[in-house]
Amino acid sequence: MSESNFESYPPLFRPPPNSPFQESNSDKTEPLLLDAAIPVIDYFKCTTTTTTNQEVAEDDEKIICRNLISEVCRDWGLFRLVNHGIPVTLLNQIQEHANKLFSLPYETKKALFSSSTSSNIISPISYFWGTPALTPSGAALAKQRGPKENNQSLQWMEGFNVSLSQLSHIHYQDLLLETFRCLLEEYGKEQARLATEIFKVLGSDLNLGPLQSQFYLSIATGLLRVYRYPICLEPERTWGIDVHTDSSVLSIIHQDQVGGLQVYKDHQWLDVKPLSNTLIVNIGDMLQAMSDDSYMSVKHRVKVNKHEERISIGYFVFPAEDAMIQSTKYKPFTYADFRAQVQHDLKTVGLKTGLQKYRFTD
């Protein structure tokens, strides 16, 4: 890695001056945990409407596929999605443009993607680093300093937070930025399509009515996070993102070929091996509450690498802010209530308590 590229890292992520860092030509494979044999769902088989003579048999196949989605969400809390219909060229272009933007000097990225524009309009794309905990405007959540603060470690990542509902409201003069914005807008539409169909399958198990489904999964809340995990000389001392569950209804992750995502299953951590042109779909806290714990929000984390950077793109979608989540195991709450509680916990104690705050006690 060239010295100049370290200028793109936040200062705390850069090797010390005159450090003996040099890229190794030896085997770059990091020690792996047991590889996760994550169930695979064929989106095409689950959603295609047929008009052929084989219609009955293919409808049976669709039913089997949809039942499989429900089954793996109960058992794993996530699955691998293939034949999802998102063009490979779109994924490659986003990856290419993300690489170019992340490689800009750190101060340039901060200036380009500040949380508000010169006209005081909230920017749909913000830059953050060191923590995935953000305010609704996309700024890093500042922790309160005090005796109760824990020593939560810096998380070895930087990213762009993208509010999809606001993305069409601004256009950039810079060609690279404007192309990136257009690519993200197109990708967001593709992800909204997938999330809507997957939630339709899972929602049928929850006996949600049309109006309830509309508020329990609100496409207007969708956001993207484009992450870069920089090279770390001491990867055993930190995490790209520490163990957590997502607050979303659904999260859909595209990762590059470097790897680093791990999930918790049957009391052990498993590596999620990257596979080309596949997506990882996982259950979030909101769907766990809606389903009375039938579907469990999956714990996951991201390890860092001393040899290679990693880029991933996450799509997250939530309920409408004022949608009341009602179930037998949790006190009624809105997503706005939940988010406020999470942000309060992160500020004060540095940890997300999540659904435990709303669970009925025996």
Side-chain angles (χ1 to χ4, degrees):
M1 169 154 313
S2 66
E3 193 71 32
S4 62
N5 196 60
F6 288 128
E7 294 300 313
S8 72
Y9 287 9
L12 289 179
F13 292 168
R14 298 172 191 172
N18 303 318
S19 69
F21 173 81
Q22 54 182 335
E23 191 166 0
S24 170
N25 293 320
S26 61
D27 182 10
K28 295 183 179 181
T29 303
E30 300 287 337
L32 291 177
L33 301 177
L34 183 65
D35 185 35
I38 294 175
V40 176
I41 299 295
D42 188 326
Y43 179 83
F44 183 80
K45 289 182 180 178
C46 290
T47 58
T48 303
T49 301
T50 59
T51 56
T52 69
N53 294 331
Q54 297 177 325
E55 185 171 342
V56 174
E58 291 181 3
D59 280 348
D60 287 344
E61 186 176 46
K62 185 189 297 185
I63 292 170
I64 292 171
C65 184
R66 292 185 171 211
N67 288 340
L68 181 60
I69 291 180
S70 178
E71 180 184 332
V72 299
C73 285
R74 293 172 192 274
D75 185 35
W76 280 80
L78 80 164
F79 56 88
R80 217 183 271 281
L81 194 67
V82 300
N83 289 330
H84 44 70
I86 299 179
V88 176
T89 51
L90 176 59
L91 292 169
N92 290 341
Q93 286 177 320
I94 293 177
Q95 178 91 18
E96 177 186 342
H97 282 73
N99 270 319
K100 289 179 180 178
L101 287 168
F102 280 126
S103 295
L104 293 173
Y106 165 70
E107 295 296 339
T108 302
K109 287 181 288 194
K110 281 181 60 181
L112 283 175
F113 299 109
S114 60
S115 58
S116 61
T117 63
S118 57
S119 56
N120 294 322
I121 299 173
I122 298 297
S123 173
I125 307 178
S126 62
Y127 171 73
F128 62 97
W129 67 277
T131 175
L134 307 182
T135 66
S137 67
L141 190 67
K143 289 174 60 180
Q144 296 176 1
R145 301 287 176 178
K148 292 186 178 180
E149 182 186 20
N150 72 348
N151 293 320
Q152 187 182 31
S153 62
L154 185 73
Q155 296 181 66
W156 209 265
M157 42 69 65
E158 61 177 341
F160 302 117
N161 184 76
V162 184
S163 171
L164 290 168
S165 65
Q166 301 298 315
L167 205 52
S168 62
H169 297 172
I170 191 171
H171 296 275
Y172 297 99
Q173 295 298 316
D174 183 273
L175 181 59
L176 176 61
L177 299 186
E178 180 60 13
T179 304
F180 190 54
R181 186 199 68 79
C182 291
L183 291 169
L184 293 175
E185 189 171 15
E186 183 181 352
Y187 186 66
K189 291 175 182 177
E190 294 280 5
Q191 293 288 6
R193 168 182 62 82
L194 295 176
T196 300
E197 191 64 37
I198 292 167
F199 186 70
K200 192 184 302 181
V201 173
L202 296 173
S204 64
D205 277 0
L206 307 180
N207 297 316
L208 301 179
L211 187 60
Q212 199 175 24
S213 293
Q214 178 184 345
F215 286 107
Y216 271 18
L217 183 94
S218 172
I219 293 303
T221 67
L223 62 88
L224 294 174
R225 294 271 182 92
V226 185
Y227 291 105
R228 177 171 77 161
Y229 300 91
I231 285 172
C232 180
L233 298 186
E234 299 179 288
E236 67 283 351
R237 298 185 61 180
T238 190
W239 290 97
I241 297 183
D242 210 342
V243 56
H244 67 287
T245 59
D246 292 338
S247 296
S248 58
V249 178
L250 291 170
S251 305
I252 306 177
I253 309 300
H254 175 260
Q255 56 176 340
D256 64 14
Q257 297 303 298
V258 174
L261 178 63
Q262 296 179 336
V263 299
Y264 193 69
K265 165 73 171 162
D266 296 334
H267 309 292
Q268 62 182 329
W269 285 100
L270 305 174
D271 280 302
V272 180
K273 182 180 179 181
L275 293 178
S276 297
N277 202 26
T278 68
L279 301 172
I280 301 295
V281 180
N282 70 264
I283 302 302
D285 297 335
M286 295 299 95
L287 189 48
Q288 177 176 329
M290 294 170 193
S291 69
D292 264 337
D293 293 349
S294 292
Y295 305 132
M296 299 299 289
S297 184
V298 63
K299 291 181 182 178
H300 53 290
R301 65 190 184 187
V302 180
K303 62 182 181 181
V304 288
N305 191 303
K306 69 165 66 174
H307 302 294
E308 296 179 282
E309 298 175 351
R310 174 180 184 264
I311 287 182
S312 69
I313 309 166
Y315 170 79
F316 307 90
V317 64
F318 306 86
E321 295 235 337
D322 57 351
M324 187 65 68
I325 311 298
Q326 294 181 303
S327 61
T328 62
K329 295 187 177 180
Y330 298 94
K331 303 167 189 175
F333 65 92
T334 65
Y335 174 65
D337 296 333
F338 182 85
R339 184 179 65 191
Q341 183 64 57
V342 168
Q343 300 230 327
H344 173 76
D345 290 344
L346 289 172
K347 279 184 181 180
T348 55
V349 298
L351 297 172
K352 170 186 168 184
T353 55
L355 291 174
Q356 292 303 322
K357 289 278 187 179
Y358 297 96
R359 188 182 292 278
F360 286 121
T361 56
D362 293 333

